[in-house]
Amino acid sequence: MKKTARRDYSTLRSSAWFSGDDRWGVGHRAWLRAEGFSERVFQQKPVIGICNSWSELNNCNAHLRQVAEAVKRGVWAAGGFPLEFPTISLGEMLMKPTTMLYRNLMAMDVEECITSYPLDGVVLLAGCDKTTPAQLMGAASADIPAIMVTGGPMLRGMWRGQELGSGTDVRRLWEEVRAGRLSEEAWCEVESCVSRSAGHCTVMGTASTMACVAEALGMMLPGSADIPASDSRRLMIAEKSGARIVEMVYEDLRPSRIMTRQALENAIRVDMAIGGSTNAIVHLVAIAGRLGLDLPLGKFDELSRSTPVVANVRPSGRYLMEDFSYAGGIAALMKEILPLLHSKAVTVTGKSVAENLAQAATFNREVIKGLDEPLRPEGGTVILAGNLAPNGAVIKQSAISPHFAKHKGRAVVFENNFDLIKRIDDDKLDVDESSILVLKGAGPKGAPGMPEWGHLPIPRKLLKAGVRDVVRLSDARISGTSYGTMVVHIAPESAVGGPLAIVKDGDWIELDVPGRRLELKISQAETKKRLKAWKPAEPHYVRGYGRLFLDHILQADEGCDFDFLKAANGPERVAPPVKFKNPGI
Ligand code: FES
């Protein structure tokens, strides 16, 4: 990396607020001294914001106040002045209808807080699924030096001697309850045994995936994404990140210098190698959009074809995040696939990916495989195209039933989620194990917010007959903890008149994962006739944030960001040292 001259304090943003003895300099310092700070903190110290998505409504991030205290230690020790601030927090389990409805709102909150306050650098504290991409998107747009610390995964669930992974195993056991094979008592025990500590979900779901992706993007200190939340090394890494951001400010090492096209490709490679969540695709496209970089879905498929899955972690593999961490974690995995990565890409350390990984090693070959003996020969996620998904669709091939990789079946259509809930367990539902379940109205505008409804439940009558997977299609997303044969992110979505909107019961649909195809087997004339007769539903919102969302949300293949937040030519809202005198006090 080309060294840049160490910046002088007078060039930092915060000096525009805190230097000088005029009314404004005194005013800014005096008001902040209401918090009990002495004059020493204003002596040419870079101001470091700690952007905290802590919330008791978001259990995955509920320990981040403690993490923030460790960050502050590091900032003080390195000669900075830390100031913690909150943003909205998106708790995956409690927030309805879906956190994805609010990812962009959080990203805006993060960007606006960073740019409007006297901050020279920022430490981003994230954890639960959407909090990580929202902070990366906001930081990319604000473009002042930034480093991320995620909260880490929970300890593995333990129940009657079985290890339980969040989401993945709860779904599996719920199907046993519905099939009448697991008692209510046992089900109650599961509730108290699955979440044993602070932290995010324990499998390679979206939170773990996005933490690994953030590290692969170069935005976290190496080896930090996978450390369990309750491990003391999590606080050590937070302290080190606090110290490092002070140096990054003097080096002017901004997100736009780290999250380059090469870094995005590294992140895609890592996502494929860990068998990561399908959600990472939407988030990476959105992050790229904030940086003015085009990231077509074709790039994901191209890199997927040449990136094997090497992480043996649920839902694509056998182990849990805790095991992954003890086996060497994300640093070891990146070292295993280093020949596939842009090894010279710059990271928050100021060093390259290859330099960061010099000491990394794999300690358990069962959990982290090598390129010569991977878990699967191709990446976890692939992109489908065809007349049913003209702008693409996504399937996690590492989690499907192998016999469905090539499959032709008749559609059983649900017009929306309410229709699905009403009829899915009806014994009269005309469905068998070769049917293809189709859910409409679950995309960015249709649901709205593109919830994780793509994991359609298996009809009870099939469950009772022992069926554990059927092919499912939708314009929704799925949780990163999901497993089974589910095509999601179909674009354009049904609510805007995509071909999914015209599928009818009994239509033949053909899925060909190796051939990357998804086809509705009706004639062109019939397609035209049905499209002509199609009418959009009434919008879900007429006012407020919901209205803003519906007016500006982009489709899944474009990252589901708001159209006005994309940058045309690199970050447009670079926050330079602000030279102003605020007349507002
Ligand atoms: Fe927050 Fe799974 S619910 S990471």
Side-chain angles (χ1 to χ4, degrees), residues 60 92-93 128-129 200-201 207:
C60 304
E92 201 63 29
M93 287 308 278
C128 198
D129 296 14
H200 58 68
C201 288

Side-chain angles (χ1 to χ4, degrees), residues 267-278:
I268 296 171
R269 291 274 193 200
V270 165
D271 176 38
M272 297 302 164
I274 59 179
S277 163
T278 47

Side-chain angles (χ1 to χ4, degrees), residues 322-329 332 361-365 367-368:
E322 205 180 328
D323 308 301
F324 179 65
S325 189
Y326 303 151
T362 300
F363 305 113
N364 187 337
R365 282 270 160 224
V367 182
I368 300 175

